[in-house]
Amino acid sequence: MQDSNRLNTEASGNARVLAALGSGNIELAEREARSLITQYPDDPAAQYAIGMVQLVRGEAADSTPWLEKACRQRPHNTVYRANLGVACLRAGRLEDAIGYLSTALEQKPDYLEAGYNLGCALLAHGQVHEALERFRALTQQQPGNANYLCALGDAARELRDWHQAVTCYRRAIDADAGCSRAHINLAPILMHAGLLEEAETLARRAIELEPRQISARKTLGDCLARQELFDDAMDAYADAYDIDPDSAVLCAAIGDLWLETGDQGEATSWYQKAIQLDEHSIYAHCGLARIIRDNGNAERALEILTPLLDQAADSPDLQLALGNTHWDDGDAGAALHHFRLALELQPEQVSLHARIAQVLSSSGDVEEAIAEHRLALENNPNCIASLNGLAVTRRGKLAPDSVQTMEKMLENDRLRSGALASLHNGLAFYYDGVKQHETAARHMQLANRHQWQSRSRRGWTYDPDKYADYVSALIETFDRGYFERIAGLGNPDRTPVFIVGMPRSGTTLTEQILARHPRVLGIGERNFAGQAFHAFTQPAGDMDTGFLDCFRQPDADKITDLATQYLARLDGLKQKSGTPDAARVVDKLPDNYSLLGWILTLFPNARIIHCRRDPRAVALSCWMTQFGSIRWACNEAHLVERIRQYRRLMAHWRSVIPDRFIELDYENLVADQEAESRRLIDWIGLDWDDSCLSFYESDRLIRTASITQVREPIYNRSVEKWKAYEPWLPDLLGPLTDMVNRSNNAPD
């Protein structure tokens, strides 16, 4: 009778503990459990009770010894064994968790919660396919269970089947509109897929359901940032930071936002804070590398990023950062490799198809690039990057449904400037292709207006007067007397060849002709000369005319050192490209026209080719192109003034160093390719090679906005295309026509 009373007491005490836990009153449950274990320390019910209290309190490691004791005494109690499995799962003892939960299911095959927890343990253990099957079976038995649907979505996401994951999360929300887990997990997938408005709505709903949920607030900030709502994005991040200031991921995201708005100093401080919180924060290291890359030193950025592969090769952020950095470094093959890896790791990031397409175009594989764009549009018919990419590539051959989609999207009043700029830009190319010039011109105007608005939010500025002062300082500094004073300085090496001029003046075409020669390596657009220039003039700031005072008595030793470093970089590129014996290395950075004085200081025997083209053709082509870093091309007045200053500076070089460079007129090259090509090869001091006439057959990866033009023989249809736009772009073309007329009427 005494034993019976004791069992009744234990049972009632255990029931009170479990009831208190069920109602959420953990403090009461703990008092009852401790009282019970004090009275009956060897009783399995008391051991189970105290173990469950600790498990609910989040003390899984402490709960497992109690639950193990209870299970040893009652090995056939399925509930005890199942909850021991849960405790092991939460304590990270995954193999034990799988074992205990599997045994519980053997004892009771219809124990659904044990099956669910077993699936979670399998998923955490990396047995994703087994977990998927477990969750699929559960959803078949209870198709309206939101928790099971979310688990199936989680497994599908781990297998990178983002379509199935989205379906599962949507079904979970349909089953339970208050399922915060589904909202939290679905929002970032849709964000990466480019469905920003829906992702934003889901993130906001997740925050309503769980106000202290950090990941939902970060996703909201990410969505807002991608929509160029930078102030709102910062508010979302700030709200999250108030809740958890020790989140390295959040600090790095704040750094990204500061960088996106042009404040590298603030961005750096947040990235450093993220690294202090987590020294392995890939996100933060990628951000710091991006700052270095944005400042023109892609090589140094690669030195930071590449070692991170040893610890985080499965990070899509790292692979994307490496792709972008290799692309900036001119290695399109490596960029393509990393972009593809990023897409494998995060297949829902639809815009990566457009990025891959851009690189494929650079290798001449236009058809494969089009296929990538179409893949993006299959996943997201409103993928603006691919709609723009197809329009720029196909021009007048763009499918009518794509044109209709783009025009319909322009009616969305939630689209911000960056998206609007891309849509208008694509439509400008389409209408230009079908020769509807007035409509094309209207879209060009709108594209550039929105482009400037978008970039201004990111910290872009341009001061044409400051650039004019800079040109004046260059003219004053690098006069005839300067070149007489520096005779004998620099390195006499003849390897460097520079192609200069305005963008869209034929620099890429010229490089392609030269690079087909077996003894020539083309390296694309490199900022080596500019970096050496700034190293020589430090610590003065950009375009501060006082910094040119160092050229009054140039430091010969420093010049020699910088020239040696420059040649070492060229040698590195020759080795990397498998052409160590290349006699000439061609850099086609157009802006180097401003550095001719400096280039000839470093390399008095360097060969320089100035590409000229009718300024109206240059202006129209720039006006149609959305450059990634050129700040003066999306404002008519800035563009006209930039051309004016360029012509002024080139006139100066023509007067003081007329024999140090040749001038190649685009129009003459189009009219007589062979004669002009032979003149180029002769100028750089090499024997003629017939392969230079078939430049368009090269399989070399290149970076240019005119890729489709340098993958086919020379044509003349764009030589005077600007004339069709004279009535529709008077503020752009009118001043340039006056400029040309004055130049033509000037006395010899």
Side-chain angles (χ1 to χ4, degrees):
M1 189 70 170
Q2 193 173 17
D3 288 342
S4 175
N5 289 336
R6 174 182 173 181
L7 288 173
N8 289 334
T9 303
E10 293 169 14
S12 61
N14 191 46
R16 288 197 299 274
V17 172
L18 298 179
L21 287 176
S23 66
N25 193 338
I26 299 176
E27 291 183 2
L28 174 60
E30 184 171 14
R31 285 197 302 272
E32 291 283 354
R34 293 202 178 281
S35 173
L36 196 61
I37 198 67
T38 300
Q39 296 179 62
Y40 312 109
D42 297 324
D43 187 83
Q47 293 163 351
Y48 178 72
I50 192 68
M52 287 301 296
V53 168
Q54 290 174 324
L55 179 61
V56 172
R57 289 180 66 90
E59 299 164 355
D62 294 331
S63 75
T64 51
W66 291 109
L67 296 175
E68 284 172 337
K69 288 179 182 180
C71 283
R72 280 196 294 270
Q73 295 190 66
R74 294 187 179 172
H76 300 296
N77 189 312
T78 305
V79 175
Y80 282 16
R81 192 166 296 277
N83 281 323
L84 173 57
V86 173
C88 289
L89 170 61
R90 295 181 184 175
R93 292 168 49 185
L94 300 179
E95 292 183 2
D96 289 337
I98 292 169
Y100 289 130
L101 289 162
S102 296
T103 301
L105 280 170
E106 290 171 5
Q107 294 173 343
K108 187 179 180 183
D110 61 347
Y111 194 168
L112 297 185
E113 279 304 294
Y116 167 76
N117 286 314
L118 176 58
C120 292
L122 290 167
L123 186 62
H125 196 248
Q127 297 173 248
V128 185
H129 289 282
E130 294 88 338
L132 184 78
E133 291 308 313
R134 179 70 57 183
F135 294 139
R136 182 175 285 130
L138 288 169
T139 57
Q140 289 170 353
Q141 293 177 73
Q142 290 194 359
N145 188 308
N147 210 32
Y148 295 169
L149 287 165
C150 282
L152 182 59
D154 292 346
R157 185 180 57 188
E158 284 297 310
L159 291 172
R160 297 171 191 150
D161 185 348
W162 70 278
H163 290 286
Q164 183 178 358
V166 167
T167 298
C168 291
Y169 294 136
R170 288 195 193 283
R171 286 176 58 195
I173 292 171
D174 289 341
D176 179 4
C179 180
S180 61
R181 177 179 174 184
H183 287 82
I184 291 166
N185 290 346
L186 180 56
I189 296 177
L190 297 184
M191 178 190 69
H192 287 304
L195 303 173
L196 299 178
E197 293 179 25
E198 185 179 359
E200 179 190 338
T201 300
L202 287 164
R204 291 189 185 280
R205 175 59 176 154
I207 293 168
E208 290 176 8
L209 295 167
E210 290 192 42
R212 296 188 65 79
Q213 230 295 331
I214 297 299
S215 63
R217 292 184 182 277
K218 180 186 176 297
T219 298
L220 175 60
D222 293 344
C223 288
L224 294 168
R226 292 187 183 210
Q227 295 176 80
E228 300 181 64
L229 298 166
F230 299 128
D231 290 341
D232 293 339
M234 189 61 82
D235 286 341
Y237 290 148
D239 289 341
Y241 186 77
D242 287 342
I243 297 169
D244 184 7
D246 294 326
S247 168
V249 171
L250 183 58
C251 289
I254 294 172
D256 277 355
L257 189 55
W258 279 113
L259 186 56
E260 191 70 11
T261 53
D263 194 328
Q264 292 186 351
E266 278 288 344
T268 298
S269 68
W270 283 97
Y271 291 139
Q272 290 173 340
K273 179 175 176 59
I275 292 171
Q276 288 172 359
L277 293 167
D278 176 7
E279 62 178 330
H280 300 299
S281 172
I282 296 299
Y283 211 54
H285 285 295
C286 287
L288 290 174
R290 180 184 164 191
I291 291 174
I292 293 170
R293 171 170 62 88
D294 287 350
N295 287 325
N297 196 344
E299 293 168 298
R300 175 59 187 145
L302 286 173
E303 291 174 2
I304 293 173
L305 293 172
T306 303
L308 298 176
L309 286 170
D310 292 337
Q311 69 184 70
D314 60 348
S315 166
D317 294 314
L318 176 58
Q319 296 292 354
L320 182 57
L322 280 163
N324 286 325
T325 307
H326 278 295
W327 182 240
D328 276 7
D329 194 44
D331 190 343
L336 183 60
H337 169 73
H338 288 290
F339 288 145
R340 287 201 183 282
L341 287 176
L343 186 59
E344 287 178 17
L345 292 164
Q346 203 167 57
E348 69 269 27
Q349 194 164 173
V350 173
S351 61
L352 272 172
H353 286 290
R355 197 75 168 119
I356 290 169
Q358 183 183 15
V359 181
L360 285 168
S361 293
S362 292
S363 63
D365 197 344
V366 175
E367 290 305 313
E368 188 63 27
I370 290 172
E372 286 288 340
H373 284 310
R374 287 175 175 158
L375 275 174
L377 294 171
E378 284 177 14
N379 289 292
N380 177 6
N382 293 335
C383 178
I384 292 175
S386 279
L387 287 168
N388 174 269
L390 278 178
V392 171
T393 303
R394 303 289 291 163
R395 296 183 179 242
K397 297 179 182 178
L398 183 66
D401 59 337
S402 293
V403 178
Q404 292 169 8
T405 297
M406 295 170 78
E407 292 184 329
K408 180 68 175 176
M409 290 178 71
L410 289 173
E411 299 173 8
N412 183 351
D413 58 9
R414 289 204 59 182
L415 284 184
R416 303 289 288 178
S417 298
L420 292 170
S422 292
L423 290 169
H424 283 296
N425 177 252
L427 289 168
F429 273 89
Y430 167 73
Y431 284 109
D432 175 75
V434 296
K435 301 189 184 306
Q436 294 187 29
H437 298 115
E438 181 179 5
T439 304
R442 178 172 58 82
H443 282 293
M444 288 180 210
Q445 297 281 37
L446 291 169
N448 282 289
R449 182 187 307 164
H450 288 298
Q451 170 87 338
W452 181 253
Q453 289 174 354
S454 174
R455 295 295 184 171
S456 295
R457 292 193 191 100
R458 291 170 164 83
W460 268 27
T461 59
Y462 182 73
D463 186 344
D465 292 334
K466 188 174 183 179
Y467 186 73
D469 291 341
Y470 174 62
V471 169
S472 295
L474 290 173
I475 290 172
E476 181 180 346
T477 299
F478 295 102
D479 57 10
R480 284 193 181 90
Y482 172 81
F483 290 102
E484 292 172 359
R485 292 194 304 275
I486 65 166
L489 295 185
N491 191 307
D493 195 289
R494 296 179 180 273
T495 302
V497 176
F498 297 87
I499 300 172
V500 304
M502 285 292 287
R504 321 297 288 141
S505 63
T507 55
T508 300
L509 175 58
T510 303
E511 185 207 25
Q512 284 294 95
I513 291 170
L514 294 177
R516 284 290 284 166
H517 194 287
R519 300 193 64 202
V520 174
L521 171 65
I523 59 172
E525 299 179 4
R526 304 284 178 155
N527 194 31
F528 296 169
Q531 289 169 6
F533 182 67
H534 288 298
F536 187 75
T537 58
Q538 288 292 342
D542 237 1
M543 294 188 194
D544 177 357
T545 55
F547 78 143
L548 295 175
D549 290 345
C550 59
F551 287 99
R552 293 181 180 178
Q553 293 183 322
D555 185 329
D557 291 337
K558 192 171 183 180
I559 289 169
T560 299
D561 288 344
L562 289 169
T564 300
Q565 294 171 28
Y566 194 114
L567 291 173
R569 297 177 82 174
L570 297 190
D571 285 339
L573 290 174
K574 289 196 289 185
Q575 295 293 334
K576 185 177 180 179
S577 66
T579 57
D581 298 326
R584 301 288 183 268
V585 179
V586 182
D587 183 330
K588 68 168 220 57
L589 185 66
D591 253 10
N592 278 337
Y593 74 81
S594 66
L595 297 179
L596 294 194
W598 168 242
I599 288 170
L600 291 172
T601 302
L602 284 179
F603 302 111
N605 292 323
R607 287 323 213 188
I608 299 168
I609 299 162
H610 171 219
C611 291
R612 296 190 298 194
R613 189 179 183 186
D614 188 302
R616 293 160 292 192
V618 168
L620 176 63
S621 193
C622 287
W623 197 237
M624 287 188 70
T625 304
Q626 288 196 311
F627 294 104
S629 58
I630 295 178
R631 301 187 176 198
W632 43 261
C634 50
N635 177 291
E636 287 169 311
H638 294 172
L639 178 49
V640 170
E641 183 59 24
R642 185 76 177 203
I643 291 175
R644 189 189 315 279
Q645 295 304 323
Y646 145 77
R647 286 165 64 90
R648 176 181 166 221
L649 185 54
M650 287 310 306
H652 169 72
W653 298 133
R654 206 173 286 121
S655 70
V656 299
I657 47 171
D659 57 341
R660 308 292 288 276
F661 62 94
I662 63 168
E663 302 193 272
L664 176 69
D665 289 303
Y666 178 82
E667 293 78 8
N668 291 343
L669 180 59
V670 170
D672 193 346
Q673 177 196 350
E674 181 170 353
E676 293 300 309
S677 298
R678 285 182 177 274
R679 187 164 74 96
L680 289 172
I681 299 301
D682 180 65
W683 173 248
I684 66 173
L686 298 177
D687 294 331
W688 173 252
D689 190 287
D690 285 338
S691 61
C692 295
L693 295 177
S694 55
F695 65 90
Y696 50 88
E697 294 178 358
S698 173
D699 60 357
R700 176 175 157 268
L701 295 169
I702 56 176
R703 289 183 58 189
T704 177
S706 54
I707 180 64
T708 56
Q709 298 174 20
V710 296
R711 292 304 186 194
E712 57 185 35
I714 288 178
Y715 59 89
N716 61 12
R717 61 179 177 267
S718 66
V719 169
E720 293 188 339
K721 185 170 75 172
W722 59 269
K723 290 184 176 180
Y725 287 96
E726 277 192 297
W728 318 118
L729 298 173
D731 294 337
L732 178 66
L733 299 178
L736 295 173
T737 294
D738 293 341
M739 191 185 302
V740 170
N741 290 338
R742 286 195 301 272
S743 177
N744 291 339
N745 294 328
D748 294 336

